[in-house]
Amino acid sequence: PRPMTARDRPYRRPPRLIVRTLAATFSAIAFVLVVVFVMLVARARDESSRVAAENLEAGRRVAAVLEQRRAAELAAALRDAQEIGPLGEHIAYLALTHSADEQKAIRDYVTTAAHELADRTRPDGLAVVDAQRCVVASLGQTTTWWPEGATTTLDRPLAGETFQTVRVVEKHAFFVVAVPLVYAGTSVGELHVVRRLDDRYAATLAALARANAAITVGGRIVASSLPVGLRAAYEQALATSSAPSGRLRVNGERTVVSPVLRAGPATMWVLSSLDSSSNEATMSALRALALPALGAFLLGAVASLWLARTVSRPVRRLSRSLLRVAEEGRFDVRLGRTGTSRELDVLTDTFNELMHSLSAAQADTRAAYVGAIKALATALDARDPYTAGHSERVSALSVAIGRQMGLKAPEIEVIRLGALLHDIGKIGIGDSVLRKPGPLTPEEYEVIKDHARLGARILKSVPFLEPQLPIVELHHERPDGRGYPHGLSGDDIPLHSRIVRVADAFDAMTTPRAYRPARPPSEAFAELWQCAGSQFDATVVEALVAAWPSVSTRLHRVNGSAIPDTNRIRQAIAFSQKRSGNTHVFPASIP
């Protein structure tokens, strides 16, 4: 597995000096802020409780006055309407006539006049009753609870003045404004203007008082602006309270209640939670304190970090450089002097000298490695005069192919050294086989094939050459899977190994051997292209042909010309493809 790097390591805590400085600063700031906050909250809670009680009382008075005024204005509007006099006259005449047709005509007139009044005042319901409280006409919501012909009862007898009351019908509560109908100075009936006491009415009352509102009838809440989950708790608190107004505790919260209006069995209340007001005051104090607190923390953090970093930055830079050296093996790190501490500057200078020495030692070691590799390759080539310089040429060709294919510099370096060592395993092959002047027997060929495995075993003991192992072991694998030593195929063969295989084959064909003369580059290219896709990677072959002009002058000269004849290459390729059936097309862009 690859060695662990800085990215793989778990998160490290900041240096202790920074942590301690920040902790001390933040602790002092936090203590001061907590004390200030406690004082602000205590004062805000007292002030909010007082203000909430005052606001509730003011809202109650406003709601009571407005509600009474609205009822009075409604009654006055009805009293002053032109239809009130005729209504009284028709109600009085209704009691005197016994003709069914006349009574029907009178009732129709009364119903029409009631509709006109309802369109003007827009109540929830409206009913006209005679002197015996018998309903003559009913419309709106009163048609259900004030049906025509029924007798309605209120908590007071028929009188000649306007009054307000509450009527409860089947657990439903209604606020009734009763306006007398007068004829010849005598009350002959009443006009009942009805508003239903429901949650909508309670919400209107709450808006007037700027607090929650509730309406109770016989100790039971029939309408309120409270959340549904709190109604039972408020109903119990109002029912068990002995005082008509004051402070209650509902669900553990301090609550101020005050009656707005009382009409018959109904009472209209306004309610306000002191704890909610206190919580709002607390949140307001928090918001007011948030910006100064944030500023104090930021200022303390900046000052603490500046102080801590002034001392710890050089040490941290030094430790990071040492960690980078340990992880990456880089010794080209140079640190600048701090100028703030003589001791740290001495430590920095010592570190820079150490890094310079290590960098020089690393360069010498690398040069020694490369020199040893070249010497090893030269010694290997020296065993056979026909293969002299083979490893150097294969390395140069492989590097040219890699550059043509756009590989990066680290990969090019791996290919360069791997190509130099690709035949290192032949050290273990006897001269009787390695330098045999004629063709090899099947048994001898099996022996020579073992040089790939042998080379990999030799280099495994050198960690520096681990990236080059696949090249040494797999440079005889073929795309069709008929190579050795593992029979890999296609993309299973590393690209570096495929590149060195093509360069190795090309140099073998273009240099003389004991059993054959050297072949021209054009014939070698034709042979490579004929076998592209089976023995050689077609992309690598194409890259070699394209890169050949840049390296040919340093490696081969054929008939006095460094660059092969393109036409001869194409003719040879066409002939070999026609004979073998290979379908790879020689690219026209290649010279």
Side-chain angles (χ1 to χ4, degrees):
R2 65 182 181 84
M4 181 178 291
T5 65
R7 293 182 178 179
D8 301 321
R9 297 181 182 273
Y11 172 74
R12 291 183 175 86
R13 294 180 301 171
R16 291 184 178 180
L17 180 60
I18 296 179
V19 173
R20 290 175 178 175
T21 305
L22 289 175
T25 304
F26 286 170
S27 298
I29 295 175
F31 177 76
V32 174
L33 291 176
V34 167
V35 172
V36 173
F37 175 72
V38 170
M39 295 175 62
L40 286 177
V41 168
R43 184 170 181 179
R45 288 176 66 89
D46 294 339
E47 187 67 17
S48 64
S49 298
R50 182 184 64 80
V51 172
E54 293 178 355
N55 289 341
L56 181 67
E57 180 61 21
R60 182 197 68 79
R61 293 175 181 174
V62 170
V65 171
L66 291 178
E67 190 64 23
Q68 291 175 349
R69 181 179 296 175
R70 185 165 60 177
E73 290 175 352
L74 176 61
L78 292 173
R79 226 176 9 252
D80 295 340
Q82 294 180 356
E83 290 83 354
I84 292 294
L87 270 178
E89 179 181 353
H90 282 74
I91 294 298
Y93 186 70
L94 183 64
L96 298 176
T97 182
H98 297 285
S99 170
D101 293 337
E102 290 181 354
Q103 286 189 354
K104 182 178 183 304
I106 292 172
R107 290 180 183 275
D108 291 342
Y109 172 80
V110 171
T111 301
T112 302
H115 275 288
E116 293 178 359
L117 289 173
D119 290 339
R120 184 176 301 173
T121 58
R122 297 189 179 278
D124 293 334
L126 191 145
V128 180
V129 299
D130 58 16
Q132 287 73 38
R133 296 281 174 85
C134 180
V135 179
V136 178
S138 178
L139 53 92
Q141 295 189 13
T142 58
T143 57
T144 302
W145 294 283
W146 274 261
E148 293 183 7
T151 300
T152 180
T153 58
L154 298 176
D155 59 353
R156 58 177 291 170
L158 191 67
E161 60 183 11
T162 301
F163 70 96
Q164 304 175 22
T165 187
V166 172
R167 183 185 178 196
V168 180
V169 183
E170 299 177 1
K171 298 183 179 180
H172 298 282
F174 300 89
F175 184 71
V176 181
V177 178
V179 181
L181 298 175
V182 181
Y183 179 69
T186 304
S187 293
V188 295
E190 289 178 339
L191 182 64
H192 293 176
V193 182
V194 180
R195 279 185 294 170
R196 187 174 178 182
L197 300 181
D198 54 8
D199 289 347
R200 180 170 55 88
Y201 181 84
T204 303
L205 185 62
L208 292 174
R210 296 183 180 179
N212 280 317
I215 303 170
T216 60
V217 176
R220 183 175 62 88
I221 293 180
V222 296
S224 76
S225 62
L226 296 166
V228 177
L230 294 178
R231 293 189 180 186
Y234 273 92
E235 183 177 287
Q236 182 180 4
L238 291 172
T240 57
S241 175
S242 58
S245 63
R247 296 188 180 186
L248 301 176
R249 186 164 289 276
V250 182
N251 280 354
E253 290 189 2
R254 298 173 302 150
T255 304
V256 179
V257 298
S258 182
V260 177
L261 289 174
R262 286 188 173 90
T267 305
M268 303 177 189
W269 304 84
V270 288
L271 317 97
S272 179
S273 173
L274 296 181
D275 288 342
S276 297
S277 301
S278 299
N279 292 337
E280 293 179 2
T282 301
M283 293 304 299
S284 178
L286 275 176
R287 287 191 290 269
L289 194 60
L291 188 59
L294 180 61
F297 276 115
L298 289 178
L299 184 60
V302 171
S304 300
L305 288 174
W306 176 82
L307 179 62
R309 286 189 174 184
T310 301
V311 179
S312 65
R313 185 186 294 112
V315 177
R316 186 169 64 254
R317 287 172 54 197
L318 184 60
S319 63
R320 286 179 178 175
S321 299
L322 290 173
L323 180 62
R324 193 189 317 164
V325 169
E327 291 177 343
E328 303 178 3
R330 293 183 54 189
F331 304 109
D332 56 347
V333 181
R334 295 292 181 273
L335 299 182
R337 304 186 67 177
T338 64
T340 59
S341 172
R342 179 179 300 178
E343 292 78 6
L344 290 177
D345 287 343
V346 171
L347 182 61
T348 301
D349 293 341
T350 304
F351 174 80
N352 288 336
E353 292 177 3
L354 175 62
M355 291 299 100
H356 178 72
S357 301
L358 290 176
S359 180
Q362 185 187 45
D364 292 343
T365 302
R366 191 175 186 86
Y369 268 122
V370 174
I373 290 171
K374 290 184 177 180
L376 197 60
T378 302
L380 178 64
D381 291 344
R383 295 183 61 191
D384 186 355
Y386 289 101
T387 61
H390 170 70
S391 297
E392 289 281 357
R393 291 191 299 273
V394 171
S395 179
L397 288 170
S398 299
V399 168
I401 294 172
R403 289 173 178 167
Q404 182 67 34
M405 297 179 72
L407 300 185
K408 296 181 179 180
E411 293 184 273
I412 298 295
E413 183 63 16
V414 170
I415 292 175
R416 185 173 69 85
L417 295 182
L420 280 174
L421 294 171
H422 75 284
D423 279 340
I424 193 66
K426 290 182 179 180
I427 290 179
I429 306 299
D431 287 347
S432 60
V433 175
L434 188 64
R435 304 181 63 180
K436 184 177 180 180
L440 300 176
T441 65
E443 293 77 11
E444 292 171 337
Y445 184 61
E446 291 299 323
V447 172
I448 201 69
K449 283 168 57 177
D450 199 47
H451 80 279
R453 295 179 183 269
L454 182 57
R457 286 200 299 269
I458 293 173
L459 297 185
K460 279 183 180 178
S461 59
V462 185
F464 173 77
L465 298 176
E466 182 179 355
Q468 284 76 21
L469 287 181
I471 295 177
V472 174
E473 186 175 9
L474 306 176
H475 70 279
H476 282 292
E477 297 286 356
R478 295 171 40 157
D480 60 4
R482 299 176 64 181
Y484 63 88
H486 302 298
L488 302 180
S489 63
D491 292 337
D492 292 338
I493 306 171
L495 176 61
H496 299 169
S497 302
R498 285 179 270 160
I499 290 175
V500 173
R501 171 170 175 75
V502 171
D504 183 29
F506 179 80
D507 186 74
M509 286 187 285
T510 55
T511 54
R513 292 291 188 266
Y515 50 87
R516 62 161 175 78
R519 301 172 65 179
S522 59
E523 293 184 12
F525 286 133
E527 183 70 21
L528 291 175
W529 213 265
Q530 176 186 352
C531 300
S534 57
Q535 297 187 37
F536 308 103
D537 187 295
T539 304
V540 177
V541 173
E542 182 179 339
L544 172 60
V545 177
W548 172 247
S550 64
V551 295
S552 60
T553 55
R554 293 186 290 115
L555 300 179
H556 294 277
R557 287 185 177 274
V558 179
N559 297 328
S561 176
I563 301 177
D565 185 359
T566 303
N567 291 328
R568 291 182 60 191
I569 295 177
R570 293 185 183 279
Q571 292 173 3
I573 290 175
F575 176 77
S576 62
Q577 286 183 333
K578 182 177 180 181
R579 184 177 59 183
S580 63
N582 190 299
T583 58
H584 284 283
V585 179
F586 187 83
S589 60
I590 296 179

